[in-house]
Amino acid sequence: MQFSPKRLFNRVTGIVFGLMLLFLTIGIILGTGHLFMQVFEMARSDEITRGYLDIISEVLSLFVLIELSRSLAEYFRVNRLRLTFIVDAAIVFVLREIMIELFEGKLIVDRTYALSALLFVLGALRIGSVLVYQRGEALGLNNDDN
């Protein structure tokens, strides 16, 4: 058997991404358990509003973890990271920040403009990556066997 740097790289990358996916999955499971515990604590507490804000923050954080895990799971299917899943995770993260600030009443105009511009760029990048991928599909350039 001959030494191949590319094969070694692919194997190490697969192991690293596998470990990352494992830790993200554990994080999602623990986050979901923590979310249920927060709901029970909120039911016993007098401060419903504060507990509600914490639950919203937890749910949105779980969405980010789920998008990242989807990206890594897709890597194992096609042996490459798809930009659309990574951009989706970034969009969910920015929306999470906006929604948390909105629910807490701490929305600052300048920050809102900056996050809106970032969302616009991420949305354009998402649309562009889908169009490029679809064009590659139409031309037969996207090969999932590589």
Side-chain angles (χ1 to χ4, degrees):
M1 197 157 98
Q2 189 176 13
F3 174 74
S4 169
K6 182 178 179 182
R7 186 173 167 183
L8 176 65
F9 174 78
N10 288 338
R11 183 169 290 245
V12 170
T13 304
I15 291 169
V16 169
F17 280 173
L19 288 172
M20 288 170 55
L21 186 58
L22 174 68
F23 286 120
L24 278 173
T25 304
I26 291 170
I28 290 170
I29 292 167
L30 292 175
T32 304
H34 187 259
L35 182 65
F36 283 121
M37 287 178 16
Q38 278 185 321
V39 169
F40 292 127
E41 288 176 19
M42 187 179 76
R44 293 184 307 163
S45 174
D46 293 336
E47 289 188 28
I48 299 291
T49 306
R50 184 66 214 163
Y52 184 66
L53 294 175
D54 290 340
I55 289 174
I56 290 170
S57 176
E58 289 285 329
V59 168
L60 295 174
S61 296
L62 284 172
F63 281 151
V64 172
L65 287 176
I66 289 168
E67 286 298 324
L68 289 174
S69 63
R70 281 183 56 208
S71 173
L72 288 174
E74 181 69 12
Y75 170 81
F76 288 110
R77 192 173 78 76
V78 295
N79 274 347
R80 65 174 180 231
L81 290 174
R82 291 234 171 112
L83 184 62
T84 54
F85 291 126
I86 296 169
V87 173
D88 286 346
I91 289 171
V92 168
F93 181 77
V94 173
L95 287 174
R96 172 192 177 274
E97 292 299 312
I98 292 172
M99 291 174 76
I100 289 171
E101 288 180 10
L102 180 65
F103 280 116
E104 290 180 350
K106 298 179 180 176
L107 206 57
I108 301 169
V109 175
D110 294 341
R111 184 169 162 87
T112 304
Y113 288 145
L115 290 173
S116 297
L118 179 59
L119 270 177
F120 179 77
V121 170
L122 288 171
L125 184 62
R126 172 74 162 88
I127 291 169
S129 65
V130 168
L131 292 176
V132 167
Y133 181 77
Q134 287 176 348
R135 183 173 181 213
E137 286 273 314
L139 296 174
L141 300 175
N142 298 336
N143 186 358
D144 288 343
D145 294 333
N146 289 341

